[in-house]
Amino acid sequence: MTTSDGNVVPIPQHYRKSQKRLRVIQKRISRRKKGSNRRKKAIKQVAKQHKKVADKRKDFHFKTASNLLNKYDVVVHEDLNVKGLSRSMLARSVHDAGWSSFLSILTTKAENAGLLVIAVNPSGTSQDCSRCGVKVPKKLHERWHDCPNCKCSLDRDHNAALNIKNRADGHAVLKAQRLLSNSRIG
C-alpha cells in the first residue's frame, strides 16, 4: 500500500512465510492412516497453523486501518475487482494480502468514526501521469514512472496514489454533502 504522501506500508505476507511449516504438517497428514487419532491430531495442527496466519493478517489489517484513519479524514482506494484478481496469476498474493477483508475493515472503522472512504475507478491509475495526465504505458514489472511529456519521475505506486487522490476530489465533496444531509434527517 502506498499513500499519496509517498509512505509505503509493505504487506507482511504471513501465508508465504508459513508455507514451509504448512507443507510439513500436510505431508504428515497424508502419511497417516485415515480415521486414526494421529491423523486427526495432524489435521488439527494444520487448522491451528491456518488460524495463526488468519489472525496475524487480521491484526495487521486492523492496525493499518487505524493508522490510516488516525492520519487522514478521507481515505480513497481503487474499486478493484478482487474476486477476478483472485483467479489470476496474482491469486496467491491477492489472497495473502487479504484485500477485500482489509477494505471492509477500513470502511467499517471509517463509518464508525464518521470519516469517509471513497472507492474510485481503477482504470489507468498507474498508466496516467499524475502531473500532466498523459498516458504512459507500462508493463506490470516496470516499477518506475517516467513521463516524457512533463519529466515527472517517481515510483509507479506513488504516481497511482496521486492519481487516485486526484480522482476522488469531486467524489469527496458529493459524498460529504450526502452524509451531512442524511445525518440531519435521521
Side-chain angles (χ1 to χ4, degrees):
M1 181 182 74
T2 303
T3 65
S4 59
D5 301 339
N7 299 330
V8 178
V9 179
I11 297 169
Q13 297 185 331
H14 298 294
Y15 177 72
R16 294 220 186 214
K17 290 177 184 173
S18 69
Q19 269 185 316
K20 193 174 184 180
R21 173 86 176 125
L22 281 166
R23 193 177 300 122
V24 169
I25 301 170
Q26 287 167 339
K27 196 181 287 186
R28 195 176 296 154
I29 291 173
S30 68
R31 290 179 179 157
R32 303 285 189 243
K33 188 176 178 182
K34 289 188 178 178
S36 69
N37 286 333
R38 295 177 78 208
R39 183 181 171 101
K40 289 176 187 173
K41 283 183 185 177
I43 289 171
K44 285 182 182 177
Q45 282 182 324
V46 168
K48 188 176 179 181
Q49 188 66 32
H50 277 295
K51 186 173 179 347
K52 276 185 183 178
V53 171
D55 289 346
K56 286 180 184 177
R57 185 181 299 126
K58 193 173 182 179
D59 181 58
F60 172 73
H61 288 164
F62 272 101
K63 287 179 180 175
T64 306
S66 293
N67 289 339
L68 280 174
L69 295 174
N70 287 337
K71 194 171 182 182
Y72 306 104
D73 291 334
V74 178
V75 178
V76 184
H77 65 86
E78 290 176 309
D79 190 17
L80 294 171
N81 178 11
V82 178
K83 198 171 188 180
L85 285 171
S86 67
R87 289 188 227 125
S88 69
M89 289 174 48
L90 302 171
R92 188 175 289 164
S93 297
V94 170
H95 287 298
D96 197 9
W99 287 352
S100 51
S101 62
F102 172 70
L103 292 176
S104 65
I105 288 168
L106 179 69
T107 305
T108 304
K109 285 180 82 64
E111 286 174 2
N112 292 340
L115 303 174
L116 286 177
V117 174
I118 301 171
V120 296
N121 184 3
S123 175
T125 52
S126 62
Q127 303 290 323
D128 299 339
C129 180
S130 59
R131 191 179 294 164
C132 66
V134 172
K135 185 170 185 153
V136 182
K138 294 178 268 310
K139 292 193 169 136
L140 188 59
H141 66 86
E142 296 174 32
R143 304 311 305 165
W144 199 257
H145 169 77
D146 282 315
C147 181
N149 191 37
C150 67
K151 307 297 182 216
C152 175
S153 179
L154 41 95
D155 183 66
R156 177 189 182 133
D157 295 331
H158 186 203
N159 179 61
L162 291 171
N163 280 330
I164 292 165
K165 180 183 176 186
N166 293 339
R167 286 184 186 184
D169 285 340
H171 294 291
V173 172
L174 291 173
K175 200 166 184 179
Q177 288 173 345
R178 276 191 224 128
L179 282 174
L180 287 174
S181 64
N182 287 344
S183 63
R184 289 182 191 145
I185 294 169

